[in-house]
Amino acid sequence: MSDFEVKQERIKAFMAERRLNALILQRVSSFAWATGGAASYVNTATTTGEATLFITPSGRHLIANNIEATRLEKEEGLAEQGWQFHVGPWYEAPAVADQLVDGSRLGADGPVPGALDLSGDLARLRANLTPVEGQRFRTLGRLCAEAIDSAARAVRPGQTEYEISARLAYEADRRGAQAIVNLIATDERIYDFRHPLPTGKELKRYAMLVLCGRRWGLVCSVTRLVHFGPLPDELRRKAEAVAQIDATFLDATRPGRTLGQVFERATDAYAETGFPAEWQLHHQGGPAGYEPREYVATPGSQDLVQAGQVYAWNPSITGCKSEDTILVTDSGIEVLTAIDGWPTVPASVGGLVCERPAILEIL
């Protein structure tokens, strides 16, 4: 079967297991997942797209207005996939869903009147990637790594966070990876905020660049840090500790383990490196897919790590962070956002040395 056919079989099985007569998919991520990467958004920051998929056991329906239908048909190729188009004028609310199903058991990927909210279950379904999606993630990881590497090496003191953000967006977009998360902090703002939206502040010595790049609907995450001049001793200690924690995450992410077990290994590493409470200040990441994190790992989580999944862990200690996107395989992990030539910190886990990204020092 093709990748699209595999996805449709999974959707049918999902619906049968939950005894659904129809499944409504409105999220941008779900739309891309079910169609093999098609874009239903106009506003890149929106969660809900401009078109809706309405899937029944016997048919695949696409509901859109007359503005969006042409692009979805001609550029995204959705008519060729077998989606039956239901097109209405842009100035009227679509009522076709009422005509397709009357009084049936409905499921949806979010809050929809009269439907079961199955958003959590669908996030887990999206996170179980096909081999084609894994290959796409490999390409996307390389593009995001190249983008953040180029942007980070172009950083200079005196630049504003807006300027650094613009460079990161440019480097991602010109490679075809849309920068849907573009966070920049400099100097003290790295210590103050875990999610630093860029500002007009000028860089003095220390910069953090965070990118979530999207292509084919998939989202890849990566963080890198740059420091002008030698690292202060305390910052170097934190960088080495966060590298050790990151290496522990990677070593623990093996098929068959629960996310709770992975999380416990990592929180132990926080304590062993002298920062026992830092994990409580920010989420640690989790499975990626058509969202930056389809769901985040939490203490005691019973979700299982599976081969073929992609994870983005992001351990942080105040003032320092480590983040790459990895692909889990039966034989180990692949770091999809590794950057050739970027400095690394060796971390020993289970008797093996794992190289994790260091802060780039420009002396």
Side-chain angles (χ1 to χ4, degrees), residues 14 18 20 23-27 29-30 33 47 106-112 115-127 291 293-295:
F14 178 87
R18 288 155 183 80
L20 300 177
L23 180 64
I24 301 169
L25 302 178
Q26 295 183 319
R27 294 178 68 95
S29 54
S30 297
W33 165 71
T47 296
L106 306 179
D109 60 350
V112 173
L116 298 171
D117 184 348
L118 301 173
S119 52
D121 292 341
L122 284 163
R124 284 158 175 79
L125 191 58
R126 290 194 304 263
E291 301 280 358
R293 305 295 187 276
E294 292 288 6
Y295 47 97

Side-chain angles (χ1 to χ4, degrees), residues 161 184-199 201 208:
E161 292 172 353
I184 306 295
T186 57
D187 306 305
E188 70 277 2
R189 292 189 74 240
I190 303 175
Y191 293 82
D192 291 341
F193 309 112
R194 282 330 205 255
H195 288 161
L197 300 178
T199 71
K201 182 193 172 302
M208 178 174 73

Side-chain angles (χ1 to χ4, degrees), residues 235-253 262-275 284 313-317 320-323 344-359:
L235 182 55
R236 187 178 300 279
R237 174 174 173 259
K238 288 183 175 182
E240 291 172 352
V242 86
Q244 182 66 41
I245 298 162
D246 196 10
T248 301
F249 264 121
L250 269 55
D251 179 71
T253 308
V262 177
F263 200 94
E264 184 178 8
R265 286 274 308 277
T267 54
D268 286 345
Y270 270 101
E272 291 163 2
T273 54
F275 299 93
Q284 301 300 298
W313 299 114
N314 48 261
S316 61
I317 296 171
C320 193
K321 178 186 176 187
S322 186
E323 181 179 32
T344 59
V345 176
S348 179
V349 182
L352 299 175
V353 175
C354 177
E355 298 287 342
R356 301 307 303 130
I359 298 172

Side-chain angles (χ1 to χ4, degrees), residues 3-4 57 61 88-89 135 156 177 183 185 229 260 290 324 339:
D3 184 73
F4 177 74
H61 304 270
Q135 283 297 112
R156 294 293 182 270
L183 303 178
Y290 290 84
D324 272 315
I339 299 174

Side-chain angles (χ1 to χ4, degrees), residues 225-232 236 342-343 358-363:
L225 298 106
V226 181
H227 191 278
F228 290 86
L231 287 184
R236 187 178 300 279
W342 192 272
I359 298 172
L360 175 63
E361 294 178 75
I362 301 178
L363 304 176

